[in-house]
Amino acid sequence: MLSQLRGLSRHFTEESLRAYLLDRAVRRDDGCLIVRGYGERRGVHQKLAGRAWAHIAAYVVFVGGYDPQLRVQHLCGAADCIEPTHLRQVSHADNCRSRAQQPRCRHGHEREIDPDTGRYRRVCRLCNSAAQQRWRARQAAEVAAARASHGRVS
């Protein structure tokens, strides 16, 4: 069963991988079993045990019956959770359908609904405008630096 996991180190057995995952995990008050992977960022998918995804490895050793054609989905919404009761396998289409769209962007701005699709726009107008201003400032600085290096001042 472990041979179906992409990126998993070969020296792991099911028992040693189970112990490895539990050793690197912390139980939260809401019931999630949060794993600490290679990175320090919280709330993102974690890689462990070679280059295998921690939630997929946890599904294999704790739940079993892993099908590589299906995706492992978190019912709790925490990407770094490996609690077996919070994991299930779904098709790619079901995984995409179940993602809830957020009415606000990550900076807290309201997102508009696209009239063509009826869904929220990917980027809010305020964040898009700020990104364009930063890009224009970088471009102007590059042009000014290039002109200065050639002895032109404008």
Side-chain angles (χ1 to χ4, degrees):
M1 184 60 88
L2 292 181
S3 62
Q4 294 178 337
L5 286 176
R6 288 185 3 193
L8 184 67
S9 296
R10 292 184 189 161
H11 71 277
F12 280 105
T13 63
E14 284 199 35
E15 295 80 27
S16 66
L17 182 59
R18 187 177 296 118
Y20 181 80
L21 288 169
L22 290 175
D23 185 47
R24 299 181 68 91
V26 175
R27 174 81 57 190
R28 278 196 331 203
D29 294 336
D30 61 358
C32 287
L33 190 59
I34 303 299
V35 69
R36 187 180 54 186
Y38 292 137
E40 294 297 319
R41 292 183 56 200
R42 262 276 300 123
V44 297
H45 291 95
Q46 298 291 316
K47 285 197 171 187
L48 290 173
R51 291 182 305 178
W53 292 108
H55 64 289
I56 297 174
Y59 188 87
V60 169
V61 296
F62 294 127
V63 179
Y66 174 70
D67 181 6
Q69 302 299 319
L70 299 176
R71 305 284 195 266
V72 176
Q73 183 186 49
H74 297 88
L75 298 174
C76 58
D80 49 357
C81 177
I82 61 167
E83 171 63 35
T85 60
H86 295 183
L87 302 174
R88 69 175 180 162
Q89 279 202 297
V90 296
S91 68
H92 177 69
D94 288 338
N95 193 27
C96 291
R97 239 181 263 116
S98 67
R99 286 189 214 135
Q101 281 197 309
Q102 302 298 323
R104 294 181 175 272
C105 75
R106 62 181 172 172
H107 299 290
H109 307 130
E110 290 288 331
R111 291 171 55 201
E112 297 176 352
I113 293 182
D114 187 2
D116 296 335
T117 61
R119 297 173 61 90
Y120 287 112
R121 293 182 188 268
R122 284 183 59 182
V123 181
C124 75
R125 290 186 187 267
L126 292 172
C127 291
N128 190 28
S129 176
Q132 288 178 4
Q133 288 174 355
R134 289 190 306 271
W135 182 82
R136 287 187 189 111
R138 281 195 313 271
Q139 293 300 314
E142 287 179 18
V143 168
R147 286 184 175 163
S149 69
H150 292 294
R152 295 186 198 166
V153 178
S154 61

